Amino acid sequence: MARARVLLVEDDAALAELVSWHLEREDFEVERTADGEEAILLARETPPDLVLLDWMIEGVSGIEVCRRLRRLADTANVPIIMLTARGEEEDRVRGLETGADDYVTKPFSPRELVARVGAVLRRVRPALAGERLSYADIEMDTASHRVRRGGSPISLGPTEFRLLKHFLEHPGRVFSRERLLDSVWGRDSDIEPRTVDVHIRRLRKAINLADAPDLIRTVRSAGYALDSEGMA
C-alpha cells in the first residue's frame, strides 16, 4: 500500500520539525513549506493526500490558501486540517466554512494530531488508511473485528465494538449522548440517551485490563471522549 502524502504548511520551524517527525514515524510521507504561495504550487504540482495548514503563516494566510485550494480542480477534494492558535468559535466556524475538514487548536499533542490525520483520511481516503485503527495502546483491526490493548486481546460486544471504533476515528473529541446515539446506533434508533452510559461502562470494564489507565474521559454536562491526557 502506498504511503499517504501530507503537505505540512507551517512557518514555525521547530513545530514543523516535531510534527514531521511524528508523522514520518507513523509512515506518512511529509513535504514541508512555510510559504502559502509555495504551498499552492506544491499542491497543484503533485496533489497530496492531506494538507496540514497553519492559519497564521506569513504572506498568503492559511485561510486564503485553503480557499484557493478548494477552488482548484486538482485540489478541491484534498482534505485540509487547519492548525491555529485562534480558538474562538467564530474562527473555527470560519475555517470550516472556508473548506477545512478539521480544526486543531494550538498548543496540541502531536500524537493527537497524527490520530486526527488518520481519522480524516479514513473518512475521505479509506484505501489509504487501511483497516487498522489505533490510539495510545489500543489497536483495532476492523476487518477481523479484533481489539488489543497493550498487546492483550479484548473481547467486546457488537455495540461496544462500534462505540470504540467511533472513538478511535475521532480521538480527543467530546461527543454528547445524543451524538453517540446518532453515530453508533443510527438516527432512527428509539434507544434512550441514558443507554449510552450503560455501554460506556461496559466498554470501560472491557478495555481497562489489569488496572490500565481509563482512556474514556467523562466530560460533565457534555459527554464522553477517547483521551489519553489523564494517563499516568
Side-chain angles (χ1 to χ4, degrees):
M1 183 180 297
R3 297 169 67 196
R5 293 181 57 255
V6 175
L7 175 59
L8 174 59
V9 189
E10 170 62 65
D11 59 3
D12 182 328
L15 180 58
E17 185 68 30
L18 179 65
V19 170
S20 295
W21 185 85
H22 279 272
L23 287 168
E24 289 168 351
R25 191 177 67 166
E26 296 300 321
D27 206 31
F28 289 97
E29 180 182 340
V30 182
E31 187 168 21
R32 288 163 46 182
T33 180
D35 181 83
E37 289 285 4
E38 185 180 25
I40 296 169
L41 291 174
L42 290 171
R44 293 189 67 179
E45 189 174 284
T46 309
D49 295 303
L50 182 139
V51 177
L52 280 175
L53 178 59
D54 184 20
W55 183 312
M56 301 296 289
I57 51 177
E58 293 190 12
V60 179
S61 69
I63 202 79
E64 179 60 24
V65 171
C66 181
R67 184 178 291 112
R68 292 191 196 179
L69 291 178
R70 285 289 172 256
R71 290 174 179 168
L72 296 169
D74 291 341
T75 58
N77 296 316
V78 172
I80 298 172
I81 298 179
M82 299 289 295
L83 309 176
T84 180
R86 304 168 70 109
E88 297 299 322
E89 180 182 5
E90 183 177 342
D91 294 321
R92 295 197 301 271
V93 170
R94 183 183 172 199
L96 294 170
E97 287 180 342
T98 302
D101 295 271
D102 203 353
Y103 193 103
V104 178
T105 304
K106 298 177 181 178
F108 53 78
S109 158
R111 288 175 59 195
E112 180 182 341
L113 178 62
V114 172
R116 292 277 191 98
V117 168
V120 170
L121 284 174
R122 281 189 291 275
R123 292 200 300 270
V124 299
R125 300 279 199 279
L128 284 169
E131 299 172 326
R132 295 182 182 275
L133 304 175
S134 64
Y135 183 74
D137 57 350
I138 293 180
E139 298 176 343
M140 171 183 285
D141 187 321
T142 59
S144 64
H145 273 236
R146 289 192 174 95
V147 178
R148 291 178 176 274
R149 181 164 191 191
S152 299
I154 293 173
S155 178
L156 295 177
T159 301
E160 286 72 42
F161 184 91
R162 294 198 306 273
L163 191 58
L164 179 59
K165 179 175 181 288
H166 181 74
F167 281 131
L168 287 169
E169 290 174 339
H170 307 88
R173 289 182 57 182
V174 178
F175 291 95
S176 66
R177 295 182 182 89
E178 290 75 16
R179 286 288 302 278
L180 288 171
L181 281 175
D182 285 347
S183 300
V184 178
W185 280 266
R187 291 183 179 275
D188 297 328
S189 172
D190 56 0
I191 295 175
E192 291 293 322
R194 287 291 175 181
T195 303
V196 174
D197 299 339
V198 174
H199 288 282
I200 289 288
R201 285 197 296 271
R202 290 179 181 172
L203 179 59
R204 276 193 167 120
K205 184 177 180 180
I207 67 175
N208 291 344
L209 299 174
D211 298 320
D214 189 357
L215 289 177
I216 307 294
R217 179 164 62 97
T218 301
V219 183
R220 188 180 180 88
S221 302
Y224 300 100
L226 183 67
D227 192 344
S228 64
E229 284 190 10
M231 291 179 65

